[in-house]
Amino acid sequence: MTGTDRRGYDDVAVTTPVTIPYVRYSPRGAHWFAASALAALLEQSGLEKKALDGLGFASFTAAPDNAVAMTQHLGLTVRWLDHIPMGGVSGIVALRRALRAVQSGDATVVACIGADTNRLDSFRSIVENFSQFSRDAVYPYGAGGANASFALLTDYYMRTFGARAEDFGKLCVAQRENARQFPYALLKKPLTLDEYLTARPIAEPLRLFDCVMPCAGAEAFLVMKRQRAIELGLAHAVVLGATECHNPFPDDPVQTRGGWALDRDELFAQAGVSRDDIDLVQTYDDYPVMSVLQLEDLGFCAKGEGPEFIRSHTFTTEGSFPINTSGGQLSAGQPGAAGGFLGITEALRQVTGTVLGARVRDARTALVSGFGMMVYDRGLCSGAAILTRGT
Amino acid sequence: MTTVPETAEAIAAIPRGGRSRVSLGFTAAAALGRFELQVCSQCEAVQYPPREACYQCLSERLVWKPQNGAGELLSRTVLHHSHDPYFGKRLPWHVGMVRLDCGPTVLAHLPAVAPKPPARVWVSARLDRAGQGVLVASETEDDVDLSNDCRLREMTSDPREANVLITDGRSAHSQAIVRALAAAGAGRIWVGMDYEGQVDQRRSASTFRAAVEAPEVLRELPQVTCLRLDVTDNGCVREAASAVASEIDILINTAQVRSLRSADLARAEMESHYFGLLNLAEHFAPAMGARAGPGQRLCPAWVNVLSLFALSCHPPWGTYSASMAAAHSFSQCLRAQLRETGARLVTVFPGPLEEGRSLGIPQSKLSPSALAGSIVDALRRGVEEVYPGEVAREWVEGVLDRRRVSDSGATVPR
């Protein structure tokens, strides 16, 4: 994992960020959200459907369908197809694979789509049947879902590293501030630290505003040769570095770190930039404790210094360390697997100057992090990508 | 006979999640009151959750082996929301993460007054209200009955303050069970008496509900009421059920044919052991299911006292063994029905008892008090299968050992 001789992606562009507005519940299927995302990709890029020859697809709620079924459902003929059932890291993984597919010529234009619906009972069903391990060894223990699992990690982190509820609250409050200008955010009502601290408990120590709101929605982007994007006149970014890692540190008794801790040197070496070059960070913020782990593991501060890092920074788009600039999942909502794409589309908009909400001034380079799949007691998948404005 | 639950109470009677096939060994051990984890025969790794292969060396030779459950509580949470109606009706619910000394990190139910992490705890395997194995972490090693926590106690059937029916009070064994239950703090205890030869005369008495006379040895127990109950008589069982079934938390079926002089012993054994059980199930099981909803102090339990010979025929007692095997088979059906409602069926498989029929058997025999003690203990622990006494214990260990050999992929001698 120490090799730095991986090829870059500098001849490939990421473009056309699409967000299908989130709704708390929807009677429509995941396929509707996927179709809407595809239509928006075509409309914004000016491409014909037949110009797409690759699809990377992620969803929790398309079952029994997968990416294969989606081609027929959406009338796509593709020569490169990927189903990415990886939750919060599916956006990063879709991006990495599409980059190489386009770079190698196996595909010319790849649509990466994360789409999920949220029916009244679909979330409970996902929780119950999330994995074999969770059926055998998690759901029977109170059926608290991800809230319970992350409560246990948060409880451990707080005691071990001295984090306080106020630290997590500061992140949540800043993200709500960012969300206020983002048109698609579901939660835009201003949030005060006091409201955060006195909200009702969900799974102690987690309170209401520590937990994302599951919703329906879609996120998508296109990957194509840079030359093609320029010809089409599409604002785009290039990826300087990207990593993924699954099941890191299996011997840790409790998760206090993710795969980023293994990959960060390679990520920054491949990207050829330093942390000072990063203008904004999109963490996978299903719970604030995970944002703290990502900041530590990506090297913005040392392990255990996350709480102090939070106390010494501000996190709005105008802050000293802009983070989750569209509000993140904590304020925008968590549209299933599309939640793993949200950071990429927002980062794309920020570095290409096509924001829908508040802009980080002079933003050129962004780091996006993904995290997913609490199969048993820890999130197994982690990934990160560094994007910069394409010229 | 399985019915779809219709009311919110019925839906909340048991946790609804399914389990994988590889986790069956965990639940099977919990049903015996044992905490077992998969251990790799090749590299000795202990693993959890259950897998199809060793996570370390990929060997498929995995064996379920007993673990002592000692570990460290690393973190805990209190749930104020649940996706499952069972827990939703019982919030707040306490859960912790425990690093076992033997290796794996496990999730476990916690009592509300559990210590704050980090702390030493002891993890035991229990049956939840759906009859599935779950782990419970306790502050002390001897937290047998989980009595410190009202939500966890619901997983057991501690007889304290519980109302009990013993179906056949004539034998010394039944009377020992009555005394043991009284000593364990049971509430009311009804004891069935069939009073052979006096049935007709007694039936003509004004009401059936009138108590019948208690045997001498039970008379000093104020909580005991004897009632007429002949399990082989469907009408008699129906009348007894209409009188007391709605109040019973624990039913202990001890009915056994004692007279060996019957002209048709095989038929008498079937009538008592098998059809008697059917009669009881018809009239008592629905009421027991109805008592199993949320807010109950304990898991309602139906205890069938059968015989080890239900599982392994004792040739000199061929017809007896066959009748007990039939009763055991129907017990499994009754267990499935009761489980849907949140009630538990406990089967007791004693070896030879100290009674007339066993005189010709050379092995050590089970005393009435030992049988009674093992039943009370099983209720406190919330187990489903009981093998009291040396003969039964040796038999079940043999079965488990053969299973271990067979699980590990070695050849089983034929």
Side-chain angles (χ1 to χ4, degrees):
Chain A
M1 295 242 186
T2 54
T4 53
D5 54 350
R6 287 193 302 140
R7 278 185 70 184
Y9 309 101
D10 52 2
D11 51 345
V12 190
V14 190
T15 178
T16 322
V18 158
T19 300
I20 300 306
Y22 301 174
V23 287
R24 178 77 173 98
Y25 293 107
S26 173
R28 303 180 191 281
H31 306 62
W32 185 89
F33 289 92
S36 302
L38 181 61
L41 286 174
L42 298 176
E43 190 192 329
Q44 286 183 36
S45 65
L47 288 168
E48 298 280 324
K49 203 181 186 185
K50 61 177 186 283
L52 297 182
D53 59 357
L55 173 67
F57 179 70
S59 178
F60 280 116
T61 53
D65 286 354
N66 60 22
V68 178
M70 207 54 61
T71 62
Q72 191 170 35
H73 205 101
L74 303 179
L76 284 172
T77 300
V78 296
R79 301 160 70 203
W80 185 93
L81 182 65
D82 202 355
H83 185 78
I84 305 158
M86 300 189 199
V89 82
S90 56
I92 299 285
V93 171
L95 174 65
R96 287 184 93 230
R97 295 180 182 179
L99 289 168
R100 288 289 185 229
V102 167
Q103 186 176 47
S104 68
D106 285 350
T108 54
V109 180
V110 177
C112 296
I113 301 175
D116 263 299
T117 188
N118 188 36
R119 295 207 174 101
L120 284 171
D121 192 49
S122 60
F123 193 72
R124 192 202 63 79
S125 170
I126 291 170
V127 169
E128 183 184 338
N129 299 304
F130 194 75
S131 68
Q132 178 170 315
F133 283 177
S134 78
R135 292 183 75 183
D136 285 345
V138 183
Y139 189 83
Y141 297 88
N147 293 336
S149 301
F150 283 95
L152 291 165
L153 300 193
T154 303
D155 178 59
Y156 186 83
Y157 184 91
M158 290 175 83
R159 192 171 37 262
T160 306
F161 299 114
R164 301 174 308 204
E166 289 83 352
D167 301 327
F168 299 131
K170 186 175 177 183
L171 282 179
C172 296
V173 168
Q175 290 188 203
R176 181 61 59 86
E177 188 60 29
N178 291 341
R180 291 182 62 196
Q181 296 182 61
F182 186 69
Y184 300 140
L186 287 183
L187 299 169
K188 288 202 242 200
K189 192 170 159 236
L191 177 68
T192 66
L193 186 60
D194 192 51
E195 285 167 333
Y196 167 90
L197 292 171
T198 56
R200 67 185 163 90
I202 302 293
E204 297 176 31
L206 302 182
R207 296 178 175 278
L208 183 64
F209 298 113
D210 290 307
C211 305
V212 293
M213 180 189 277
C215 62
E219 298 278 344
F221 53 85
L222 292 176
V223 177
M224 63 184 71
K225 280 278 170 64
R226 207 164 153 190
Q227 191 55 41
R228 184 85 180 268
I230 293 168
E231 286 164 14
L232 289 167
L234 296 173
H236 62 276
V238 293
V239 175
L240 299 177
T243 55
E244 69 182 84
C245 182
H246 308 280
N247 195 23
F249 310 117
D251 297 326
D252 286 3
V254 183
Q255 182 163 39
T256 56
R257 52 186 176 165
W260 315 282
L262 285 176
D263 295 337
R264 63 185 175 207
D265 293 343
E266 186 172 342
L267 175 70
F268 281 95
Q270 186 190 20
V273 297
S274 75
R275 288 166 186 83
D276 291 338
D277 298 318
I278 304 294
D279 298 312
L280 59 119
V281 174
Q282 309 289 346
T283 60
Y284 189 82
D285 63 327
D286 49 357
Y287 296 86
V289 71
M290 287 317 303
S291 289
V292 179
L293 258 61
Q294 285 159 68
L295 295 174
E296 292 172 345
D297 294 348
L298 287 162
F300 292 101
C301 61
K303 179 55 62 188
E305 289 178 5
E308 195 49 49
F309 184 84
I310 293 171
R311 291 164 205 158
S312 60
H313 277 284
T314 52
F315 301 98
T316 62
T317 48
E318 292 167 354
S320 60
F321 196 91
I323 200 170
N324 296 334
T325 48
S326 62
Q329 297 179 83
L330 284 166
S331 284
Q334 182 182 53
F341 285 63
L342 176 162
I344 296 175
T345 52
E346 172 62 12
L348 257 180
R349 292 183 181 119
Q350 288 286 352
V351 302
T352 57
T354 57
V355 293
L356 301 173
R359 178 161 190 212
V360 177
R361 192 197 302 227
D362 298 330
R364 289 189 66 89
T365 305
L367 189 152
V368 187
S369 174
F371 172 71
M373 307 307 286
M374 203 81 168
V375 165
Y376 171 48
D377 61 339
R378 62 197 67 203
L380 294 184
C381 309
S382 46
I386 296 173
L387 285 69
T388 196
R389 189 188 305 172
T391 48
Chain B
M1 287 171 74
T2 305
T3 52
V4 178
E6 285 169 359
T7 65
E9 297 283 287
I11 289 166
I14 59 171
R16 293 282 159 189
R19 300 286 178 93
S20 73
R21 193 179 171 282
V22 288
S23 75
L24 287 177
F26 174 71
T27 289
L32 293 166
R34 297 162 180 243
F35 173 29
E36 295 185 352
L37 293 179
Q38 283 179 322
V39 179
C40 176
S41 303
Q42 198 159 295
C43 75
E44 296 185 341
V46 182
Q47 67 182 7
Y48 181 86
R51 293 163 165 91
E52 300 275 355
C54 172
Y55 80 100
Q56 217 163 255
C57 73
L58 302 180
S59 166
E60 57 173 4
R61 295 176 60 194
L62 303 172
V63 179
W64 291 97
K65 284 192 178 168
Q67 306 295 328
N68 80 358
E72 181 170 293
L73 180 67
L74 298 174
S75 64
R76 59 173 302 173
T77 181
V78 185
L79 303 180
H80 296 271
H81 169 265
S82 172
H83 295 284
D84 192 286
Y86 175 87
F87 299 106
K89 287 268 186 194
R90 291 162 173 84
L91 296 172
W93 193 271
H94 298 252
V95 180
M97 199 179 232
V98 179
R99 174 75 151 186
L100 296 173
D101 293 351
C102 63
T105 296
V106 302
L107 257 58
H109 296 301
L110 286 182
V113 294
K116 291 223 175 333
R120 294 296 295 170
V121 289
W122 282 264
V123 171
S124 59
R126 306 286 180 151
L127 292 176
D128 70 12
R129 292 297 289 275
Q132 302 274 20
V134 288
L135 295 170
V136 176
S138 299
E139 197 166 1
T140 57
E141 205 168 352
D142 56 355
D143 187 17
V144 170
D145 54 10
L146 306 176
S147 57
N148 293 329
D149 186 276
C150 61
R151 294 180 183 85
L152 297 179
R153 192 177 57 198
E154 262 190 74
M155 291 199 273
T156 73
S157 307
D158 188 342
R160 197 173 3 146
E161 292 170 43
N163 295 333
V164 190
L165 169 69
I166 287 95
T167 60
D168 178 357
R170 293 171 309 161
S171 71
H173 290 89
S174 293
Q175 289 160 12
I177 293 167
V178 173
R179 285 194 299 274
L181 288 166
R188 296 194 63 183
I189 305 175
W190 287 280
V191 181
M193 290 291 174
D194 65 3
Y195 288 103
E196 287 167 308
Q198 298 175 46
V199 172
D200 289 345
Q201 177 206 331
R202 299 232 171 202
R203 267 223 185 131
S204 63
S206 56
T207 65
F208 176 80
R209 289 166 194 240
V212 298
E213 203 178 350
E216 186 89 35
V217 292
L218 299 180
R219 274 181 206 155
E220 81 274 18
L221 297 173
Q223 58 273 68
V224 169
T225 307
C226 289
L227 80 162
R228 188 176 300 117
L229 181 57
D230 174 359
V231 299
T232 65
D233 178 343
N234 188 281
C236 178
V237 174
R238 184 181 63 237
E239 288 181 65
S242 70
V244 300
S246 65
E247 296 178 70
I248 290 172
D249 301 305
I250 298 171
L251 182 153
I252 303 179
N253 179 23
T254 54
Q256 297 239 0
V257 170
R258 266 163 304 277
S259 168
L260 301 178
R261 284 183 291 278
S262 165
D264 191 346
L265 183 58
R267 202 167 295 276
E269 286 165 341
M270 256 328 172
E271 281 294 341
S272 174
H273 305 158
Y274 175 67
F275 288 105
L277 178 56
L278 259 60
N279 289 333
L280 289 168
E282 178 184 350
H283 298 298
F284 280 91
M288 179 157 282
R291 279 184 81 79
Q296 290 298 310
R297 217 177 41 75
L298 80 167
C299 176
W302 180 303
V303 182
N304 280 330
V305 182
L306 302 179
S307 161
L308 190 58
F309 304 149
L311 302 168
S312 180
C313 177
H314 180 53
W317 297 11
T319 58
Y320 174 89
S321 300
S323 70
M324 281 297 175
H328 172 45
S329 184
F330 182 73
S331 288
Q332 292 169 312
C333 166
L334 185 58
R335 170 174 291 153
Q337 287 170 28
L338 290 173
R339 202 175 255 178
E340 267 304 301
T341 67
R344 175 169 299 145
L345 187 129
V346 183
T347 359
V348 186
F349 299 104
L353 304 175
E354 279 177 5
E355 59 170 353
R357 182 182 261 206
S358 300
L359 291 178
I361 294 183
Q363 289 102 323
S364 75
K365 300 184 193 61
L366 190 63
S367 72
S369 63
L371 174 66
S374 69
I375 291 173
V376 169
D377 181 66
L379 290 167
R380 283 190 175 137
R381 292 176 184 271
V383 304
E384 277 183 349
E385 280 180 49
V386 191
Y387 296 86
E390 281 173 37
V391 175
R393 203 153 35 237
E394 190 182 299
W395 187 89
V396 74
E397 290 300 339
V399 168
L400 290 174
D401 283 347
R402 282 198 294 281
R403 197 190 79 201
R404 288 188 183 114
V405 172
S406 141
D407 280 354
S408 71
T411 310
V412 184
R414 287 168 190 272

